[in-house]
Amino acid sequence: MSEVLDLVGVGIGPANLSLAALADPVEGLATAFFEREPEFSWHPGLMIEGAFLQVPFLADLVSLVEPANPLSFLSYLRDRGRLFPFYFAERFHIPRTEYDAYCAWASRQLDSCRFGRQVRGLSIEDGLFRLDVEPGGPVLARNVVLGVGTAPSFPAPLAALAGPAVLHSADYLPARDRLLTADDVTVVGSGQSGAEVFLDLLRSRPSDRGHLRWLTRTAAFAPMEYSKLGLEQFTPDYVRFFHGLDEPTRDRLVPSQWQLYKAISAETIGEIYDELYRRTVDGGWPRVSLSPGVEVTTATRRGERVELGLRHVQQGGAASVTTDAVVCATGYRERDLGDLLGPLADRLERDASGRLAVTADYRVRADLPGALFVQNAERHTHGVGAPDLGLVAWRAATILNAVCGRVVYPLPDRTAFTTFGLPGGGG
Ligand SMILES: Cc1cc2nc3c(=O)[nH]c(=O)nc-3n(C[C@H](O)[C@H](O)[C@H](O)COP(=O)(O)OP(=O)(O)OC[C@H]3O[C@@H](n4cnc5c(N)ncnc54)[C@H](O)[C@@H]3O)c2cc1C
C-alpha cells in the first residue's frame, strides 16, 4: 500500500473508462480503476443481435473532448484495419456489439484498468481515501470517482417473484431460449429495452406459439425524441442550465422529459410494425397483444406460472392474465451506495430527499480531505443526460480538470443553438 494514487475509479463502465482514457496522457497523474467483473462487458444480457447504439459513434470514450486521443473509435478501427469498410458503410450509428468490442479494446490498452477487483468499501485514513479492494488489499487515493452504474429495477408487485419466471430485461439473453419455447410470455415496459425484447421474441418465436403480450403503464408506445433541437437537451449547455435550477423545479422537470429517455427509437417501432404486418399477409391477426395504459397491480405465483392483476390507467377497471414468463423491461435505478460509502455516509451532504448533493463539476459536497466524484448517479442534479454516452467524455474531462486544478482539456463555452434560460443569462 506504499503508493498514494491521485485518482481512483470504482467500476469500469463507459463512464470511468472514458475517464481512464482521458487521464492516461496526463503526465504525473497516478490513477487506477477497479472493476469487479473479469473483463469489460457492456450490458451483456441485452446484447441482442442487430441492436444499435442510440448515439452516433462520435460519442465514444474521448472524441467529443479530444478526437486525437489514441483511444478514439476511429483509432480502434485503424488498429483493426477496418477504416475502409467503415467509410463505405456510411454508418453514423454502430452496432452495440461493436461499441462493446471497442470499449473492451480500449480497456486492454490502459494499464490503469484492473479487472476482477471489487471495491468493498471506502473510509478515510491519514487524510486520504482508503479503498478496500478484493483481491489485492487496500489502496490509498487523494480523489475517488464512483462510476458503479445503475441497478435493474422491478415494478413493486413483481419484485418479490424475481427468478426464472419473472426476470429483468438485463438478464434477457441467458433466458432467451426458454422464452422462445414458453407458451405465454409477457413483456412489461415500453422503453427501448422493452421494445428490443418484444421485437426479438416476435421475430424468433414461431407464429403459432401461444401468446406474446406487451404491457406498459405509459399511455402510448411512444417514439424517443430524436429531433436535432430536442437533442440539445443532451448538451453541456443544458446540463449547466438544469444544475442551476432549484431542487423542486428539477424534480418536476425530469418526469416531464420522459420521451427523452423512456421511449423507443422510431426505427425499432418501425421494425416491430413491419414484423406484425408481415404476419398478417396470410390472413388473420398475429397471436400477440400490445396494450398501453395498462399497469401491473399484483403478481401471484400459480405453480410454475404467474398471474398478473392488471388495471387500465385511463379506463380504470381490473383484469387478470396468467403467463409462463414475465420480462420486466422496467429500467434501472441509481445504486444504493450505502454499503460502499458506509463510514463516510454522515460526512456527505444530501438534498431534501436524501440524495447526494453534487456540484456542477460532479463532486459530492462533503466534509472530506479529498474529492469524491460521481458519474451517472446525478440525474437529480444534472438532468436526463446523466447516463447518456454523448456526455461521457465531457463529464470525464470536467472531473479531470477539477482533479488537476488546471485546464487539462479545454471545454467549449457554448454547445447548443438553443438558449436555455433567459437570454443574457438573466435566469
Ligand atoms: C442495454 C442498454 C443500452 C444502452 N444504450 C445506450 C445508448 O445507445 N446510448 C446512450 O447514450 N446510453 C445508453 N445506455 C445508457 C448508458 O449509457 C449505459 O447504462 C452505460 O453503461 C452507463 O455507464 P456507466 O459507466 O455509468 O455504468 P455501467 O456501464 O453500469 O458500469 C458500471 C460498472 O461498475 C462495476 N461496479 C459496480 N460496483 C462495483 C464495485 N463495488 N467494485 C468494482 N466494480 C463495480 C459494475 O460491474 C459495472 O461494470 C444503455 C443502457 C442499457 C442498459
Side-chain angles (χ1 to χ4, degrees):
M1 202 173 52
S2 50
E3 192 193 5
V4 176
L5 296 163
D6 296 307
L7 178 63
V8 166
V10 183
I12 306 179
N16 266 347
L17 188 56
S18 168
L19 185 60
L22 289 169
D24 198 51
V26 181
E27 249 174 60
L29 190 73
T31 64
F33 294 81
F34 297 104
E35 166 60 49
R36 62 188 176 192
E37 298 298 333
E39 59 191 359
F40 183 90
S41 184
W42 190 57
H43 303 305
L46 266 169
M47 205 47 85
I48 296 172
E49 218 184 295
F52 280 79
L53 209 60
Q54 302 293 306
V55 288
F57 76 90
L58 284 169
D60 66 13
L61 300 167
V62 294
S63 289
L64 288 171
V65 165
E66 177 48 281
N69 184 292
L71 298 180
S72 69
F73 180 71
L74 290 178
S75 301
Y76 164 70
L77 291 178
R78 180 186 53 193
D79 188 68
R80 294 291 147 123
R82 295 178 55 233
L83 271 170
F84 273 88
F86 181 70
Y87 161 60
F88 288 120
E90 291 194 44
R91 292 221 68 124
F92 217 50
H93 289 85
I94 59 173
R96 276 222 296 269
T97 44
E98 191 172 23
Y99 179 75
D100 179 53
Y102 152 68
C103 288
W105 167 85
S107 74
R108 290 192 296 270
Q109 322 291 310
L110 291 162
D111 290 340
S112 59
C113 289
R114 323 264 164 85
F115 288 89
R117 307 277 194 93
Q118 173 144 11
V119 176
R120 294 277 179 199
L122 266 78
S123 52
I124 299 294
E125 188 173 295
D126 300 330
L128 295 164
F129 287 105
R130 175 191 155 121
L131 293 92
D132 290 312
V133 184
E134 218 177 270
V139 169
L140 294 178
R142 295 188 179 87
N143 303 285
V144 171
V145 185
L146 301 181
V148 294
T150 49
S153 165
F154 286 87
L158 285 155
L161 300 190
V166 176
L167 56 121
H168 194 272
S169 54
D171 299 316
Y172 172 66
L173 280 187
R176 184 174 181 270
D177 286 349
R178 195 161 39 82
L179 296 167
L180 293 186
T181 52
D183 189 50
D184 186 296
V185 177
T186 304
V187 179
V188 180
S190 60
Q192 183 62 23
S193 297
E196 287 178 6
V197 167
F198 179 76
L199 175 62
D200 188 50
L201 292 174
L202 182 66
R203 280 180 171 159
S204 311
R205 283 164 57 92
S207 51
D208 59 353
R209 167 132 323 129
H211 196 84
L212 178 61
R213 184 181 300 102
W214 191 14
L215 308 176
T216 182
R217 192 171 54 179
T218 313
F221 293 102
M224 189 98 78
E225 164 67 271
Y226 206 76
S227 70
K228 289 178 188 189
L229 287 176
L231 286 181
E232 288 201 324
Q233 288 163 100
F234 293 104
T235 55
D237 280 22
Y238 186 79
V239 174
R240 273 191 289 267
F241 160 75
F242 186 91
H243 191 266
L245 299 173
D246 61 33
E247 189 185 331
T249 309
R250 291 196 305 249
D251 286 350
R252 276 196 307 275
L253 197 48
V254 169
S256 76
Q257 294 172 313
W258 63 274
Q259 251 176 303
L260 286 174
Y261 63 99
K262 274 190 178 171
I264 310 166
S265 88
E267 287 76 24
T268 311
I269 292 178
E271 287 175 288
I272 289 171
Y273 202 90
D274 289 348
E275 184 62 27
L276 291 170
Y277 179 80
R278 201 177 61 74
R279 289 180 175 230
T280 64
V281 171
D282 295 334
W285 290 83
R287 297 170 76 153
V288 299
S289 53
L290 293 79
S291 305
V294 172
E295 184 179 26
V296 176
T297 51
T298 58
T300 316
R301 206 179 288 287
R302 299 273 179 238
E304 301 280 284
R305 311 189 82 203
V306 179
E307 184 182 318
L308 301 176
L310 308 176
R311 185 181 78 89
H312 198 281
V313 177
Q314 287 88 35
Q315 261 182 343
S320 72
V321 292
T322 302
T323 186
D324 294 304
V326 184
V327 183
C328 298
T330 41
Y332 296 77
R333 57 182 162 70
E334 282 173 9
R335 279 188 199 282
D336 175 7
L337 299 174
D339 284 352
L340 206 54
L341 297 177
L344 309 185
D346 45 1
R347 300 171 77 158
L348 311 176
E349 266 184 48
R350 296 184 182 268
D351 68 11
S353 304
R355 299 165 299 193
L356 293 176
V358 187
T359 64
D361 59 5
Y362 299 94
R363 189 191 301 231
V364 179
R365 284 187 198 283
D367 166 29
L368 293 169
L372 175 69
F373 296 89
V374 286
Q375 305 210 67
N376 197 5
E378 71 286 356
R379 197 171 69 176
H380 57 292
T381 47
H382 290 65
V384 291
D388 192 78
L389 295 178
L391 284 165
V392 152
W394 176 80
R395 178 175 55 199
T398 303
I399 293 173
L400 263 180
N401 288 348
V403 166
C404 296
R406 64 188 170 89
V407 179
V408 180
Y409 289 104
L411 296 171
D413 292 335
R414 184 168 175 186
T415 48
F417 292 112
T418 311
T419 301
F420 299 106
L422 286 173

